[in-house]
Structure formats: C-alpha cells, structure tokens
Amino acid sequence: KFRMPTAENLVPIRLDIELDGHRFKDAFTWNPSDPDSEVVVFAKRTAKDLKLPPAFVMQIAQSIQTQLTEFRSYEGQDMYTGEKIVPIKLDLRVNHTLIKDQFLWDLNNFDSDPEEFARTFCKDLGIEDPEAGPAIALAIREQLYEIAIQSVATARESRLSKKGRRGFEYIPAHKAGGTALDLMKLFSNKYSVVRKRKEWDVYEPIVDLLSTEEVDALEAREERNAR
C-alpha cells in the first residue's frame, strides 16, 4: 500500500506564503499520523517565533493541511512494487552553499533513511552549513514522494489493463538488460544509494561556496522568477 519508500513515513511540506508585505518560506517533514490539531499549534508557534502578522497563522495551517490531505488521499491504494532503481538529482542552494549531485536509489528498500544519508553526505564533503543536511534530505523525500505517486498510477493502470485480474507482470531487470539486480548487492540498508563505476565522472558531487555578491544575484533572479 502507498507510503513513502523510506524507514519513516514522513511527508515533505513546502511553504511559500506572501501576505501583508511579508513573505514566509520554509520546508520540513511532517508525520501524517500526527493529529491535525498539531498543525494549528505549529502555525501559531511559527508566527509567534518569527513575529509574523496574525493572518499568517491561518495561511500556514491551511497550506500544511492541504498538503497532508493530498498525501492521505493516496493511503490505502496499491503501489507498483517491481524492481525500481531510480535516479535522484540534487541541485539546490542552501545560503552560500551550492550543491549538485545525482545517484541511484532503491525504492524497494523501506529501511532507507534520507536524513542519515544527508548527514553522511555533508560530513564526507565537508559541508558545514547546518541547514544543508535537512535541505538535502527534503529534496530526496520530495522526489521519492513524486515517484511513489507515479507508482500508484502505474498500479491502477495495470489493474485496468488486466481487466480485474489481481497482480500484474513486469520484466525483471536482468532480462531487460538493466543492472538493478547487480546494484542491489551493493546497497546498504540505510542508504540504498550507489554510484556506477563507469559513470563516476558524471555522478561526481559538486559543492561550491558562493560569495555574498553571487548569492545576492541568485536571490534577485529567484525573486524575479517567483513574480
């Protein structure tokens, strides 16, 4: 049944709210099993801590609730569970740190931990910004969430094509000429990540530290694009 293909079933939440001349942006994960009353408590605490106008409380709560409702609408539905090794791409800026990378992730390993992977990633590459780890983990979770939704659609289409027959067929990776079975041997339980040797140059992570001027220019461009 539908869930995040990770050890913890956490929903990636992203907020971008503009109101009364103020703009609030944030991103974090949320446990869909938590009571909805926690959403309002969180919204009130956030507005108070950041000294946002009172009108932000309702906007923050509504945005979180809408995203939780969408996630819950998939719960109970079947997911496609064939062999799935998918590419994950990172292309994000966290304050002055620019991070680019791509790697393969095993969707069928429900012990995987994006947060632990992000902590190890930052440690290995010497990324010191404490906000980088959570941002990397969230970026991974957002992509896994989209793929999980696609898996629900694939399972639904398969049921329709089989005209009510339970289950569906897929071509094993070793028959399709893929490398999924070989890659599976390389995965650890927590990370489910591997870089193929022949693509090490392509899959090499890139981390750049930007100057204040470069950050200002990027933020100005992002602001124009947002408008």
Side-chain angles (χ1 to χ4, degrees), residues 80-84 108 158 162 168-173 175:
Y80 174 71
T81 55
E83 294 165 6
K84 276 207 166 184
N108 285 335
S158 179
K162 297 296 183 181
F168 45 87
E169 300 172 358
Y170 63 92
I171 301 175
K175 292 184 179 179

Side-chain angles (χ1 to χ4, degrees), residues 156-167:
R156 186 184 305 121
E157 291 168 4
S158 179
R159 285 199 307 274
L160 291 174
S161 67
K162 297 296 183 181
K163 296 182 180 180
R165 279 197 341 220
R166 296 186 64 83

Side-chain angles (χ1 to χ4, degrees), residues 34-179:
D34 286 348
D36 288 347
S37 58
E38 292 294 322
V39 173
V40 177
V41 172
F42 172 83
K44 289 180 177 178
R45 186 172 63 245
T46 299
K48 181 181 178 181
D49 291 347
L50 300 179
K51 296 180 171 57
L52 296 171
F56 267 86
V57 173
M58 187 59 67
Q59 293 294 323
I60 291 173
Q62 286 181 346
S63 182
I64 295 173
Q65 196 64 63
T66 297
Q67 294 175 69
L68 287 176
T69 299
E70 180 184 4
F71 180 88
R72 290 166 178 162
S73 70
Y74 296 104
E75 292 181 333
Q77 298 189 48
D78 292 331
M79 292 175 65
Y80 174 71
T81 55
E83 294 165 6
K84 276 207 166 184
I85 307 294
V86 299
I88 296 292
K89 295 186 178 182
L90 299 179
D91 188 355
L92 64 157
R93 179 180 63 83
V94 183
N95 300 321
H96 285 251
T97 307
L98 189 67
I99 303 164
K100 293 186 178 183
D101 195 12
Q102 54 182 332
F103 40 82
L104 301 174
W105 196 278
D106 177 16
L107 288 184
N108 285 335
N109 184 355
F110 286 84
D111 291 323
S112 63
D113 187 340
E115 285 73 25
E116 180 65 24
F117 168 78
R119 285 190 289 270
T120 303
F121 182 93
C122 289
K123 181 180 179 181
D124 289 348
L125 296 179
I127 300 174
E128 298 179 354
D129 191 325
E131 296 181 21
I136 291 170
L138 191 90
I140 294 172
R141 283 191 176 277
E142 285 181 323
Q143 293 176 67
L144 294 178
Y145 181 25
E146 289 299 319
I147 295 168
I149 292 174
Q150 294 168 13
S151 295
V152 170
T154 300
R156 186 184 305 121
E157 291 168 4
S158 179
R159 285 199 307 274
L160 291 174
S161 67
K162 297 296 183 181
K163 296 182 180 180
R165 279 197 341 220
R166 296 186 64 83
F168 45 87
E169 300 172 358
Y170 63 92
I171 301 175
H174 63 282
K175 292 184 179 179
T179 57

Side-chain angles (χ1 to χ4, degrees), residues 156-205:
R156 186 184 305 121
E157 291 168 4
S158 179
R159 285 199 307 274
L160 291 174
S161 67
K162 297 296 183 181
K163 296 182 180 180
R165 279 197 341 220
R166 296 186 64 83
F168 45 87
E169 300 172 358
Y170 63 92
I171 301 175
H174 63 282
K175 292 184 179 179
T179 57
L181 293 182
D182 292 333
L183 291 173
M184 285 289 288
K185 299 174 184 176
L186 303 176
F187 286 120
S188 68
N189 283 340
K190 283 193 174 181
Y191 303 145
S192 291
V193 175
V194 70
R195 302 174 197 277
K196 291 187 286 187
R197 182 181 295 274
K198 65 180 180 180
E199 296 177 350
W200 275 0
D201 291 338
V202 177
Y203 279 63
E204 183 179 3

